[in-house]
Amino acid sequence: MAMYNGAFFDLSLLLLMLAFSQRFFLVDSTTDPADIKVLKDLKNGLNPKSIVPGSCLSSWDFSLDPCDHVFSNHFTCGFRCDRVVSGSFRVTEITLDPAGYSGSLASTTWSLPYLQTLEISDNSFSSSIPDSLSNLTRLRRLSLSRNSLSGPIPDSLSSLSQLQELYLDNNELNGPIPLTLNKLVNLKRLEVQRNNLSGKIPNLGSLRNLYFFDASDNELSGEVPLTLPKSLVEVSVRNNNLQGNLPESLANLGYLQVLDLSHNELSGPVISVLFDHLSLQQLTLSHNNFTSMEVPSNYVNSRLIAIDLSYNELRGLLPVFIGLMPKLSALSLEHNKFTGMIPMAYAMKAAVPAGAGTTASLQRLLLGGNYLFGLIPDALMGLKPGLANVSLVDNCLYMCPEKFFFCQGGDQKSLVDCKNFGSVIP
């Protein structure tokens, strides 16, 4: 009888522990009801035909608890839950797969106070960016890239004080880049390229943590801002309508490594501070209206690896100092109005084998489409195909037969064109 009572007690204790653990687990895995409502509204606001079988949203079955993945094959992807309040889970991340979802982001109030990441890139969301996204006060990453969003960038985004990454690129947004983005003092990346944005680039000097800024392929106008965040490492504003001269204040960007302002209407000189910049590695200013190049005082310490100044209005002799830059390996000065002879420094730098010595060899030397004359330097004549990408076509060179690979792909200019321009022809 004693053994029976002991066994009965053990069984009762086991059932009690099982019930308690089950109760504890169920409570511990309960999603906050407010978060469930946002997830429901998000799915219900989409075009049902865009929710294809096998996609993340097709697995969202709200007859079950979203954050309970243990006994279900539903809610398999698309979001993340974390226990942030004792007894409940909160949605901390929404990362939708690129399944072609279409619909509006305004279908929900976005009342997700613990959300840190919202990633819906590579889909077909349309309409405007809703002001309700400002409710996501803990958001650190907002990625709406490659959708069909339209309308302006709302000022309400400036209330996302914790935001570190903002991706609005490849949409149909219009209007200016709002000055209110200066309130996002924690922002590190700002990508608004490939939209229909217009107006001037605002003063973003307050974004002291910003290291990446891309506003390419828009309709931005005005001049390059005098004040940019000193923390910037990469700046790209190519293919816009920027005008005027380059500001000397670019020298203040002490961490800058990449500057791309190509395909604009910039003019005046290519300022010397870009050539002796202590961190700049890639300079792309092609397809503008620059007319001259300033000679730097400290080019021997330049870190420039690639320079592209093609398709401008640059005149005069080819600057010798460029051929003396120790790290330069790619140079394009095509389709300008340079005259004179090819500097020996260029030829020698192209002829140096890659990896030989402390000076980098020119792996790319593009000088076509100018008014260069005279003999081709012997160092280039001995260059074998495949060792470097060199082009001297469409100039006024005395002899440049097609048997030399760097003369292939185009003829030299006519004698009349060369003399009319003022080139000295032997």
Side-chain angles (χ1 to χ4, degrees):
M1 184 68 177
M3 291 182 59
Y4 176 80
N5 288 336
F8 178 78
F9 175 78
D10 290 342
L11 180 60
S12 299
L13 181 61
L14 179 62
L15 292 174
L16 181 62
M17 292 177 62
L18 181 61
F20 176 79
S21 63
Q22 207 168 22
R23 176 179 175 82
F24 177 81
F25 175 79
L26 289 173
V27 171
D28 208 34
S29 65
T30 301
T31 312
D32 188 277
D35 291 8
I36 295 177
K37 183 180 185 306
V38 172
L39 296 178
K40 281 184 178 180
D41 291 344
L42 174 60
K43 182 176 181 178
N44 292 336
L46 301 184
N47 180 354
K49 294 182 180 179
S50 69
I51 304 176
V52 297
S55 64
C56 285
L57 282 173
S58 68
S59 73
W60 290 14
D61 179 358
F62 292 98
S63 64
L64 301 172
D65 188 290
C67 294
D68 183 3
H69 300 268
V70 178
F71 300 115
S72 172
N73 59 355
H74 298 282
F75 293 105
T76 56
C77 61
F79 69 103
R80 172 180 170 174
C81 299
D82 286 297
R83 187 173 62 184
V84 294
V85 178
S86 179
S88 67
F89 276 76
R90 305 303 297 260
V91 176
T92 57
E93 179 179 325
I94 294 178
T95 305
L96 298 184
D97 50 330
Y101 303 119
S102 62
S104 171
L105 294 177
S107 60
T108 179
T109 60
W110 292 103
S111 298
L112 295 171
Y114 292 93
L115 194 71
Q116 297 181 14
T117 298
L118 177 58
E119 165 74 73
I120 64 163
S121 299
D122 295 288
N123 281 290
S124 300
F125 287 95
S126 58
S127 74
S128 60
I129 299 174
D131 288 332
S132 57
L133 289 181
S134 62
N135 294 330
L136 306 175
T137 55
R138 284 186 172 86
L139 202 64
R140 296 183 180 181
R141 175 185 170 91
L142 175 59
S143 181
L144 310 179
S145 304
R146 295 176 294 279
N147 280 284
S148 299
L149 299 171
S150 58
I153 299 174
D155 288 330
S156 56
L157 292 182
S158 64
S159 64
L160 302 177
S161 60
Q162 302 300 313
L163 201 63
Q164 297 181 9
E165 300 175 60
L166 178 57
Y167 303 92
L168 303 176
D169 56 283
N170 292 271
N171 279 287
E172 300 170 13
L173 301 173
N174 55 41
I177 300 174
L179 181 60
T180 51
L181 292 183
N182 264 306
K183 296 180 181 180
L184 302 177
V185 295
N186 291 302
L187 199 63
K188 296 180 179 179
R189 291 184 69 102
L190 175 57
E191 300 197 26
V192 294
Q193 67 270 25
R194 295 182 182 171
N195 280 287
N196 300 313
L197 300 175
S198 58
K200 297 181 179 180
I201 301 173
N203 181 346
L204 300 174
S206 298
L207 304 181
R208 58 182 181 272
N209 294 305
L210 191 70
Y211 71 86
F212 187 96
F213 175 55
D214 194 343
S216 302
D217 301 296
N218 280 289
E219 300 173 11
L220 298 171
S221 58
E223 299 182 345
V224 178
L226 293 175
T227 304
L228 289 168
K230 295 181 180 180
S231 55
L232 280 167
V233 174
E234 183 167 342
V235 176
S236 181
V237 197
R238 66 180 178 273
N239 196 24
N240 279 280
N241 301 314
L242 300 182
Q243 297 178 331
N245 294 359
L246 294 173
E248 296 285 338
S249 57
L250 289 172
N252 299 330
L253 306 183
Y255 301 99
L256 188 65
Q257 295 182 13
V258 177
L259 178 62
D260 187 349
L261 300 176
S262 60
H263 293 268
N264 280 286
E265 300 171 22
L266 298 169
S267 57
V270 180
I271 53 180
S272 61
V273 297
L274 297 177
F275 295 118
D276 56 14
H277 199 287
L278 294 181
S279 63
L280 190 62
Q281 298 179 19
Q282 180 177 323
L283 176 63
T284 307
L285 300 175
S286 61
H287 295 270
N288 278 288
N289 300 313
F290 293 108
T291 54
S292 63
M293 300 168 63
E294 295 180 350
V295 179
S297 59
N298 193 26
Y299 57 84
V300 292
N301 292 323
S302 170
R303 297 195 176 187
L304 278 166
I305 297 173
I307 297 176
D308 187 353
L309 301 177
S310 60
Y311 292 91
N312 276 285
E313 298 293 324
L314 297 170
R315 295 173 176 265
L317 304 178
L318 290 173
V320 176
F321 75 86
I322 289 184
L324 302 175
M325 288 181 168
K327 296 184 180 297
L328 192 67
S329 63
L331 175 63
S332 179
L333 298 175
E334 288 185 300
H335 298 284
N336 280 284
K337 293 180 171 59
F338 286 112
T339 187
M341 302 180 71
I342 300 173
M344 185 59 65
Y346 287 36
M348 294 299 295
K349 193 171 177 62
V352 172
T358 58
T359 300
S361 63
L362 271 177
Q363 298 297 301
R364 181 185 302 136
L365 177 60
L366 307 180
L367 302 177
N370 284 286
Y371 292 85
L372 304 175
F373 60 80
L375 297 173
I376 299 172
D378 289 341
L380 288 180
M381 298 289 280
L383 200 62
K384 296 181 179 180
L387 294 180
N389 179 12
V390 179
S391 177
L392 305 178
V393 300
D394 192 23
N395 275 290
C396 300
L397 296 169
Y398 177 60
M399 289 187 63
C400 197
E402 285 198 356
K403 69 178 182 179
F404 298 112
F405 73 94
F406 42 76
C407 296
Q408 298 172 2
D411 297 328
Q412 296 295 298
K413 287 182 171 66
S414 69
L415 185 63
V416 173
D417 288 344
C418 293
K419 285 188 173 181
N420 287 341
F421 187 77
S423 294
V424 178
I425 305 299

